Amino acid sequence: FNVTLGLNQSFGSMAIDTVNDRLLITCSLGLVVLNATTLAPIAGSPFATGGTDPRSLVIDTVQSRVYIANYGSDNVAALTLSTLAPIAGSPYAVGHSPGSLAFSSVANRLYVSCFGSNPGGINVFNPTTAPMTQIVGSPFYSGNTFSRLTVGP
């Protein structure tokens, strides 16, 4: 992508927004958004993420949002998928160095793993409202080196 975009930036992760035909990429500039077919940047790209060092992103197809883990700011951004504008309350504070996100459409929950939190672990959000709220008991302790999340069927 550095050659295509003419950028010399570090990239974190990417996801495809099939509803809007866009490719979303986290990098040191923020959220780079490209037309998925032409790979041309869309107007306004890169978008601010409300923090520094965005590492991970996940698409929430239920609320039509994208969530971005800002590793350097200890927060998670929540943006509307259509406009990429922050929802109320965004960014949301989480533990130290959030590095991985997962979303379950079945449970309707956003999971955030924090590397090096003490107490550490997994912050769990109920994303049905804006601002979002953490569920009772969150964060859940998982040790201070937990860094990757996945959600299975």
Side-chain angles (χ1 to χ4, degrees), residues 97-101 111-115 121-123 146-149:
S97 305
S100 184
L101 301 171
Y111 304 91
V112 182
S113 73
C114 295
F115 183 84
I122 304 169
N123 291 262
F146 189 79
S147 62
R148 298 288 181 259
L149 285 174

Side-chain angles (χ1 to χ4, degrees), residues 59-118:
I59 292 176
D60 169 352
T61 56
V62 178
Q63 279 75 227
S64 296
R65 296 179 184 159
V66 59
Y67 305 111
I68 302 160
N70 291 310
Y71 188 86
S73 298
D74 299 341
N75 67 35
V76 172
L79 310 177
T80 62
L81 201 51
S82 60
T83 66
L84 300 170
I87 69 164
S90 181
Y92 296 90
V94 294
H96 184 64
S97 305
S100 184
L101 301 171
F103 176 76
S104 169
S105 59
V106 174
N108 202 16
R109 295 288 186 259
L110 171 67
Y111 304 91
V112 182
S113 73
C114 295
F115 183 84
S117 292
N118 189 14

